[in-house]
Amino acid sequence: MYNTPKTSYSLVGTAVPRHDAWAKVKGDQAYSDDWAMPGMLYGKVLRSKHAAAILRGVDTSKAEALPGVHAVLTAKDVPNNIDISKFGQMRDVGGGFEGLYKALADGKIRSRGEAIALVAAETEEIAEDALKLIKVDYDVQEGVFDPREALKPGAYIVSSEDTSNKIMETKVEKGNVEGAWKDCDIIIENDYHTTPHDHAYLETECGMAWMDENGVVTLRVGTQVLEHYRTIARILGLPHTKVRNMSVMMGGGFGGKEDITVETYLALLTYKTRRPVKMVWTREESLEVHAKRHPEYLHYKTGATKDGKILCQEAHIIMDGGSYTYLTPWVQMYSTINGPGPYNIPNLLSHSVSAFTNNTLSSANRGFGATQVNFAYERQMDELARALNMDPYEIRLKNVVKNGDEISTGFVLEGHIALTEMIKKIREKLEATPKPDRLPDGRKVGRGIAVGQMSYGRLCFLHDSSRCAIRVELDGTITLRAGVPDVGAGQASALAQICAEELGLPIEDVHPFIMDTHLTPLCGTSTATRQLYMAGNACIMATRFVRDIIARKAAKLLDCNPDELTFRDKQIVFINDPQKSIPFVTVVGHVSNDGELLFHEAQFNAPFTEVPDLTNIKGRIHPDMTFTGHGVEIAVDEETGEYEVLRIIACMDCGKALNRNSVEGQMEGGAVYNLGWLREDLRWQKGVTKGNSFSTYLIPTSVDTPDVETVVIESGGGLGPYGAKGVGEPSDNTICPACVNAINDAIGVSFHTTLVKPEQICLALHEKKQRGANG
């Protein structure tokens, strides 16, 4: 068979322009908000004014009587209001993992902004007026806003259905932690806090829905999970075939569109009115009510020998799940498993517990639980290095995992581990020029490093799968069908590039048709940095199946063996005599005339395991890990506390860079994304989001960020196509601790929180000065 891996490439590894690049550059690509239909209504949501309350009653009579209003819905109008969301997985795993939530509030209000009622009207203005006419009877409650307090006996219970605020408890244990402390020459212990973080994507949650003559509800919504159509069908009480989910190629996600956002509301309003309905959340609405990165409280205790070898470590994590379960159990698995970091620690305990609070719900955000612990363990590594008077690079080199080492769960990774090479490259790049103690303007200069790990591919016990279909047209072009959600990251273009590479065609000859649950094979969620790994492998399988058929036909025409042929430049070429070739399209015609297949749909299955024992998680929980690192240089003004990031070195082993532009773009974007975590402050106050606009929630701009210097390592040790690893989420994992380590290096003050604003630096320097004055 011709189905063998390629050893040389035409497109893979180059900076080939994405297939949709021109449409996006010219502004032709549509966002969700760009879609409209004749007879369209406008949907709006009435949201709770209180973070904790009991909903006594909702009077919608005046809103319903308002001219131009076509529907006003409350919880009683939802066929199945309490639902277990499957979040796209193909297997029900139970055990508390499913994300319980309500479409519309009923009983207890669990967070400020929780949806109480829906309105559909002829205009947005009428819909807004209708919201003002709805009367809500609240019995306001005290609430609980700190997960540590929520777990205490006698705490206010957030849910009507539960008797405790605990969501889940998980643990990873290895070796003998208690017995190892006595062998340590030094023990350091610190508390860390990571703050909630918004996705701040280009387009807010929005979309539209309509109903066809066959009663099928179709959704066109910016989403990372097409499989939510199943959940919508359950809520409406419809067969899966009566809900169709589509997405758009723009808008951004970063995990924020992994959860259901507007889909349920649009489907309910459309099903009720039989009219097309559009809904667009304001930026304030988005910042106030959609899911955030989990805030975490982390306590780390680390013991080491005097030469810096870590012997044992404990990590105790308390996670704020907010008002509903959503993806908290999944995120918690990532935090627990990644708690010790990419270090070879023989004795460890990583323990986590998550709790409901009356804060905005927490769920998926780029990094998915790995970023929070990454901040803590990389700050802990610098604190340990400082206590031992060791170089921060050397202490990491002494302890990082290498090929053949076990990770925290006892699993030995199949992929390559390039951490040693990565640390050396970051150091070489950052120290190519001497570090000044101060700049000419008097600002202090510091440098910092952080490394980390994050998985790509979903948890193995989900039995993940992805499908892709290839059809060769008679003119030699390719139709590629894949239900791969792509809200801007380029997943569809990666599949087109793979197909073009395998068939020796320009990428322009491959036409991806994606994101339609009725017409495209399902690829699963665009989450967990899984699509290149999962859909990419399915794409290779489908393409090579068809390529084998074409190669056999070409071999007959050229009187040779199929394994003596190669596909390139729209030709099928005899390897030993490049002059002996035949056009690709000619062979396609022969295959068609002989009635042979020019189509194939393939399914790729990830490695699978059973659900682990959560009291001590063991074995292969993720398919593989991507390892990353950042080195930074920062200047700090000791008078104002203001700081400037002067340099960013981003390093990653991507396995194989299929598209150099895409890999470097993700590394640059990831660095900026979590650079913002240092200053982006939602300013939660008893469940109220004070930082609810981009004038108060300040994301980095171009003037806040230097050019990101990328160092790409291509070990070929990944499980994806051509040895690739996932890069999207891991790219943001280590920038925040690297920056805080650099600030510490500059001014000698340690910060144990991800939120480091100039006023905090001023206060810390003042306290340091006072301590010095007091001896």
Side-chain angles (χ1 to χ4, degrees), residues 83 86-90 226-235 238-240 243 245 467 522:
D83 194 75
K86 308 299 181 188
F87 295 98
Q89 70 257 26
M90 301 303 293
L226 290 178
E227 285 82 355
H228 280 320
Y229 78 94
R230 301 179 186 130
T231 300
I232 303 303
R234 280 198 307 276
I235 291 171
L238 296 175
H240 290 179
V243 178
N245 201 5
R467 288 184 285 139
L522 294 177

Side-chain angles (χ1 to χ4, degrees), residues 359-382:
N359 291 320
T360 303
L361 66 94
S362 301
S363 195
N365 190 304
R366 193 176 190 176
F368 207 80
T371 49
Q372 293 94 321
V373 294
N374 182 261
F375 175 80
Y377 64 67
E378 283 304 278
R379 285 293 299 115
Q380 190 79 343
M381 288 300 291
D382 256 37

